[in-house]
C-alpha cells in the first residue's frame, strides 16, 4: 500500500510528462564546433575589393580580362562551336598579381566574388577566398554546384585549391583542426561513393546505402595548405581523416543529423 501511494504521488507530481530527449546539435553547429577551436586566431580582412571594374567582353579566342576585384582579376576564354559560331565565354580563370592559374580551369561561365572574409592570415600563410554560384548556362549537376576557389600564399609560393560543393548547405569552413600552425579547410562532398557505402555497410550492418538521396548524405574531409602545397590531412596509417553523416532534413543546415562513422583528429 505504501509503494502504491508513493507511485501515485510521483505521477501527480510529474503530470505524466516524460523527460525531454537530450539536445542534439544541428549540422551547422557541428561544423562550427569543428572550426572554432580555442587558441586558434585567424586574422580576417573583410571588404578587400576596391570598386569593381567591369570590362567589355570583346570577341576573340584569347584570354580577356573581364572583372577586376582589386586584388584578384578574372579572365574568360572564348570558344566557338558549330552550334554557336559566335565567340562565347566558356572558361573562367583567376589571376593574382602576375600569376594566372591556367592549370586550374573553371569550366563554364562563372562570376566570382570574395567571401565575407576575403583575405585571411594564419601563421606564415595568407589566403584569398572567393565564391561562385552555378553559371547561367548550367545543366544537370552543375546547377546545384557552388565553387569556392582559395588562393594560398606562402613566401614566394602561390597555389589555388577549388572546393566544389554540390547541394551546398555549408559554404566555406576553415580552422586549424590539428593545431599544427597551418590553416585547414573542410572539403564537404554530398552523397557517398561505392567504396564509402561498402565501408559503412561493414561498419554498421543496418546502414542502408539506398537511403542516401540527394542532399541527405555528406562526407567531410580536411585539406590543408602547408608550406606552399595543398594536401589532404591523413592519420599515421595514411588514411584520410573523414566524417560520414546523414541529415534528418534534406538540404537543411539547421537540421539535426546522424553520425554514421568518424575518423577524425
Amino acid at each position: 500500500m505504501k509503494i502504491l501511494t508513493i507511485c501515485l504521488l510521483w505521477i501527480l507530481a510529474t503530470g505524466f510528462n516524460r523527460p525531454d530527449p537530450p539536445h542534439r546539435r544541428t549540422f551547422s553547429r557541428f561544423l562550427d564546433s569543428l572550426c572554432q577551436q580555442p587558441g586558434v586566431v585567424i586574422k580576417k580582412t573583410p571588404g578587400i575589393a576596391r570598386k569593381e571594374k567591369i570590362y567589355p567582353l570583346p570577341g576573340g579566342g584569347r584570354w580577356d580580362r573581364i572583372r577586376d576585384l582589386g586584388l584578384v582579376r578574372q579572365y574568360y576564354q572564348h570558344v566557338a562551336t558549330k552550334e554557336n559560331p559566335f565567340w562565347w565565354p566558356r572558361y573562367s580563370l583567376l589571376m593574382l598579381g602576375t600569376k594566372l592559374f591556367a592549370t586550374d580551369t573553371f569550366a563554364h561561365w562563372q562570376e566570382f566574388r570574395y567571401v565575407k572574409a576575403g583575405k585571411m592570415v594564419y601563421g606564415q600563410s595568407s589566403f584569398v577566398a572567393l565564391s561562385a554560384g552555378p553559371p547561367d548556362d548550367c545543366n544537370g549537376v552543375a546547377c546545384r554546384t557552388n565553387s569556392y576557389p582559395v588562393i594560398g600564399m606562402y613566401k614566394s609560393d602561390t597555389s589555388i585549391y577549388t572546393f566544389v560543393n554540390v547541394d551546398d548547405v555549408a559554404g566555406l569552413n576553415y580552422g586549424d583542426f590539428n593545431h599544427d600552425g597551418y590553416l585547414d579547410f573542410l572539403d564537404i562532398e554530398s552523397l557517398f561513393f561505392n567504396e564509402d557505402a561498402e565501408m559503412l555497410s561493414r561498419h554498421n550492418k543496418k546502414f542502408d546505402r539506398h537511403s542516401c538521396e540527394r542532399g541527405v548524405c555528406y562526407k567531410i574531409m580536411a585539406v590543408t595548405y602547408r608550406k606552399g602545397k595543398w594536401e589532404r590531412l591523413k592519420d599515421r596509417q595514411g588514411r584520410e581523416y573523414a566524417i560520414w553523416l546523414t541529415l534528418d532534413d534534406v538540404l537543411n543546415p539547421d537540421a539535426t543529423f546522424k553520425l554514421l562513422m568518424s575518423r577524425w583528429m
Side-chain angles (χ1 to χ4, degrees), residues 32-154:
D32 289 341
S33 69
L34 293 178
C35 299
Q36 298 173 0
Q37 302 171 351
V40 175
V41 180
I42 302 169
K43 183 180 178 182
K44 304 175 184 178
T45 307
I48 62 174
R50 297 192 299 268
K51 186 177 180 181
E52 184 180 282
K53 300 176 183 177
I54 303 296
Y55 294 85
L57 191 67
R62 62 188 185 279
W63 293 107
D64 295 305
R65 183 169 63 175
I66 192 67
R67 175 164 277 102
D68 190 336
L69 299 174
L71 185 63
V72 177
R73 286 167 289 170
Q74 186 174 5
Y75 287 73
Y76 294 138
Q77 185 187 45
H78 299 72
V79 178
T81 63
K82 292 181 179 179
E83 294 78 13
N84 184 4
F86 301 99
W87 294 110
W88 188 255
R90 291 292 299 277
Y91 299 101
S92 178
L93 295 183
L94 299 174
M95 187 171 187
L96 177 68
T98 59
K99 182 165 184 179
L100 181 68
F101 297 100
T103 58
D104 299 284
T105 302
F106 301 98
H108 301 288
W109 191 91
Q110 290 179 294
E111 286 189 10
F112 292 96
R113 296 285 188 273
Y114 290 113
V115 298
K116 187 175 182 180
K119 186 175 182 180
M120 299 167 285
V121 178
Y122 184 72
Q124 301 180 55
S125 301
S126 57
F127 303 85
V128 177
L130 302 104
S131 66
D136 293 337
D137 61 341
C138 69
N139 60 75
V141 70
C143 297
R144 306 181 353 241
T145 302
N146 289 342
S147 300
Y148 298 92
V150 179
I151 301 173
M153 294 166 281
Y154 176 81

Side-chain angles (χ1 to χ4, degrees), residues 4-263:
L4 179 61
T5 303
I6 293 174
C7 291
L8 289 172
L9 289 173
W10 180 84
I11 292 173
L12 291 173
T14 58
F16 300 95
N17 290 329
R18 294 182 179 180
D20 293 332
H23 175 70
R24 293 186 61 191
R25 282 185 296 182
T26 64
F27 183 50
S28 58
R29 290 187 63 184
F30 174 66
L31 294 179
D32 289 341
S33 69
L34 293 178
C35 299
Q36 298 173 0
Q37 302 171 351
V40 175
V41 180
I42 302 169
K43 183 180 178 182
K44 304 175 184 178
T45 307
I48 62 174
R50 297 192 299 268
K51 186 177 180 181
E52 184 180 282
K53 300 176 183 177
I54 303 296
Y55 294 85
L57 191 67
R62 62 188 185 279
W63 293 107
D64 295 305
R65 183 169 63 175
I66 192 67
R67 175 164 277 102
D68 190 336
L69 299 174
L71 185 63
V72 177
R73 286 167 289 170
Q74 186 174 5
Y75 287 73
Y76 294 138
Q77 185 187 45
H78 299 72
V79 178
T81 63
K82 292 181 179 179
E83 294 78 13
N84 184 4
F86 301 99
W87 294 110
W88 188 255
R90 291 292 299 277
Y91 299 101
S92 178
L93 295 183
L94 299 174
M95 187 171 187
L96 177 68
T98 59
K99 182 165 184 179
L100 181 68
F101 297 100
T103 58
D104 299 284
T105 302
F106 301 98
H108 301 288
W109 191 91
Q110 290 179 294
E111 286 189 10
F112 292 96
R113 296 285 188 273
Y114 290 113
V115 298
K116 187 175 182 180
K119 186 175 182 180
M120 299 167 285
V121 178
Y122 184 72
Q124 301 180 55
S125 301
S126 57
F127 303 85
V128 177
L130 302 104
S131 66
D136 293 337
D137 61 341
C138 69
N139 60 75
V141 70
C143 297
R144 306 181 353 241
T145 302
N146 289 342
S147 300
Y148 298 92
V150 179
I151 301 173
M153 294 166 281
Y154 176 81
K155 297 181 179 178
S156 61
D157 296 322
T158 307
S159 183
I160 190 171
Y161 191 96
T162 305
F163 298 88
V164 180
N165 292 5
V166 180
D167 299 323
D168 187 14
V169 297
L172 187 66
N173 296 269
Y174 46 86
D176 187 355
F177 308 137
N178 56 355
H179 289 270
D180 65 348
Y182 296 97
L183 193 62
D184 314 313
F185 294 80
L186 293 182
D187 196 2
I188 303 176
E189 294 181 354
S190 65
L191 297 177
F192 298 144
F193 292 104
N194 287 334
E195 54 266 29
D196 294 311
E198 291 173 1
M199 181 183 60
L200 290 170
S201 297
R202 293 193 298 268
H203 178 74
N204 184 356
K205 300 297 184 183
K206 295 183 179 180
F207 171 72
D208 180 11
R209 66 173 63 195
H210 302 293
S211 64
C212 278
E213 60 181 285
R214 179 166 63 89
V216 172
C217 296
Y218 290 89
K219 179 181 180 181
I220 303 173
M221 295 165 289
V223 179
T224 191
Y225 181 71
R226 184 182 290 130
K227 295 184 178 181
K229 296 182 180 179
W230 292 93
E231 58 186 78
R232 289 195 181 276
L233 288 180
K234 300 179 181 179
D235 61 17
R236 293 181 178 179
Q237 287 74 40
R239 301 175 303 177
E240 294 180 351
Y241 288 112
I243 298 173
W244 296 263
L245 54 83
T246 60
L247 294 185
D248 293 328
D249 187 17
V250 178
L251 296 174
N252 182 4
D254 294 322
T256 53
F257 63 93
K258 295 181 180 66
L259 183 65
L260 300 177
M261 184 175 171
S262 177
R263 188 170 63 218

